[in-house]
């Protein structure tokens, strides 16, 4: 059960869009439509931003969207704002009540 | 308000035992899976294991199987993560998180418990 693969860092200017990828296998990302994304500010607990690949919990901005193709999922943040600067983690269900997370991506707003 | 409140920071010596807690409120604690997640200093999230409080069914990541024990006490709506013999490499922040009632994601997170293991 290896961690999902994410880029270490991404960056963008205010107003732009950025995409963070999350690569797995057919045993996790590719095998289930249960990919989720979490936002974490320094010193804070993670917050659920996307679930079931592309669904947003109540209260999460529509600027956040998710998608999946094969064994790779993606998180897109459109209309970047300074407050979006944070670490982002993908997660995937792997069956039999087990999960795996990605290594995390540091998103910087230039 | 649905929330998970974790126990406070711990400082322990190698070889000591430890049990940290995660108390749920605002929902039916027994009915939802509670998972534990490790975050080592400056590192990413690692899924450790999970428990279904209603029947204490537990699952572990292979990386943590045999290294920790997850348990729960439904009478006080509390889940636990414990070690029998701590190592310096157990130094980390530990989060508990509730599996969402809607899907296989974690919708409510505790504030985290810092565990420091040092001689």
């Amino acid at each position: 059960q290896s961690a999902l693969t994410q880029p270490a860092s991404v960056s963008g200017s205010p107003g732009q869009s950025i995409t963070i990828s999350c690569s797995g296998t057919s045993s996790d990302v590719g095998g289930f439509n249960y990919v989720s994304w979490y936002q974490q500010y320094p010193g804070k607990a993670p917050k659920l931003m996307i679930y079931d690949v592309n669904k947003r919990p109540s209260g999460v901005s529509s600027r956040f969207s998710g998608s999946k193709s094969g064994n790779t999922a993606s998180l897109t943040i459109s209309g970047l704002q300074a407050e979006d600067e944070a670490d982002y983690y993908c997660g995937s269900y792997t069956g039999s009540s087990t999960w795996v997370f990605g290594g995390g991506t540091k998103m910087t707003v230039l | 308000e649905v929330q998970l409140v974790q126990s406070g920071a711990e400082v322990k010596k190698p070889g000591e035992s430890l049990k940290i807690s995660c108390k749920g409120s605002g929902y039916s604690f027994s009915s939802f899976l509670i998972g534990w997640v490790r975050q080592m200093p400056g590192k990413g999230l690692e899924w450790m294991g999970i428990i279904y409080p209603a029947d204490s069914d537990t699952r572990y990541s292979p990386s943590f199987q045999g290294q920790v024990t997850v348990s729960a006490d439904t009478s006080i709506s509390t889940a636990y993560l414990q070690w029998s013999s701590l190592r310096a490499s157990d130094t980390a922040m530990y989060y508990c998180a509730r599996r969402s009632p809607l899907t296989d994601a974690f919708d409510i997170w505790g504030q985290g418990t810092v565990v420091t293991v040092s001689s």
Side-chain angles (χ1 to χ4, degrees):
Chain A
Q1 192 181 42
S2 299
L4 307 175
T5 301
Q6 298 181 232
S9 63
V10 297
S11 62
S13 300
Q16 288 186 329
S17 294
I18 63 95
T19 297
I20 300 171
S21 61
C22 170
S23 296
T25 70
S26 58
S27 296
D28 38 63
V29 174
F32 304 91
N33 285 322
Y34 295 130
V35 175
S36 49
W37 289 89
Y38 304 85
Q39 177 190 63
Q40 186 182 36
Y41 292 116
K44 300 296 186 182
K47 174 187 176 183
L48 178 65
M49 303 299 283
I50 295 287
Y51 67 95
D52 289 359
V53 176
N54 56 14
K55 298 178 182 176
R56 281 178 287 105
S58 174
V60 171
S61 171
S62 59
R63 298 184 299 104
F64 291 83
S65 62
S67 63
K68 188 183 88 166
S69 178
N71 296 337
T72 300
S74 299
L75 172 71
T76 297
I77 309 174
S78 59
L80 269 180
Q81 298 180 0
E83 67 199 49
D84 299 331
E85 185 163 295
D87 294 328
Y88 292 86
Y89 295 90
C90 60
S92 177
Y93 183 63
T94 60
S96 300
S97 294
T98 62
W99 279 260
V100 66
F101 288 109
T105 298
K106 182 177 179 62
M107 208 292 289
T108 301
V109 179
L110 301 172
Chain B
E1 177 189 9
V2 175
Q3 61 179 351
L4 297 172
V5 178
Q6 297 184 230
S7 50
E10 301 275 2
V11 179
K12 292 289 189 179
K13 296 185 186 307
E16 292 186 331
S17 63
L18 176 64
K19 192 174 189 177
I20 62 175
S21 67
C22 169
K23 183 175 177 62
S25 62
Y27 74 99
S28 177
F29 180 80
S30 297
S31 302
F32 297 91
L33 293 163
I34 293 287
W36 288 93
V37 177
R38 182 175 80 175
Q39 187 167 37
M40 299 178 76
K43 302 298 183 181
L45 306 177
E46 299 174 88
W47 187 81
M48 301 175 69
I50 202 159
I51 187 166
Y52 183 51
D55 63 8
S56 292
D57 183 28
T58 55
R59 307 293 170 94
Y60 295 92
S61 162
S63 299
F64 293 93
Q65 180 81 48
Q67 307 305 310
V68 296
T69 301
V70 174
S71 60
D73 183 342
T74 57
S75 68
I76 55 172
S77 300
T78 300
Y80 301 97
L81 178 65
Q82 68 180 82
W83 296 259
S84 59
S85 180
L86 286 161
R87 308 171 183 176
S89 58
D90 293 317
T91 294
M93 175 74 85
Y94 293 88
Y95 293 102
C96 62
R98 186 188 79 164
R99 177 195 176 275
S100 167
L102 299 175
T103 186
D104 287 305
F106 296 97
D107 64 342
I108 303 296
W109 291 69
Q111 82 277 19
T113 295
V114 177
V115 174
T116 303
V117 183
S118 174
S119 55

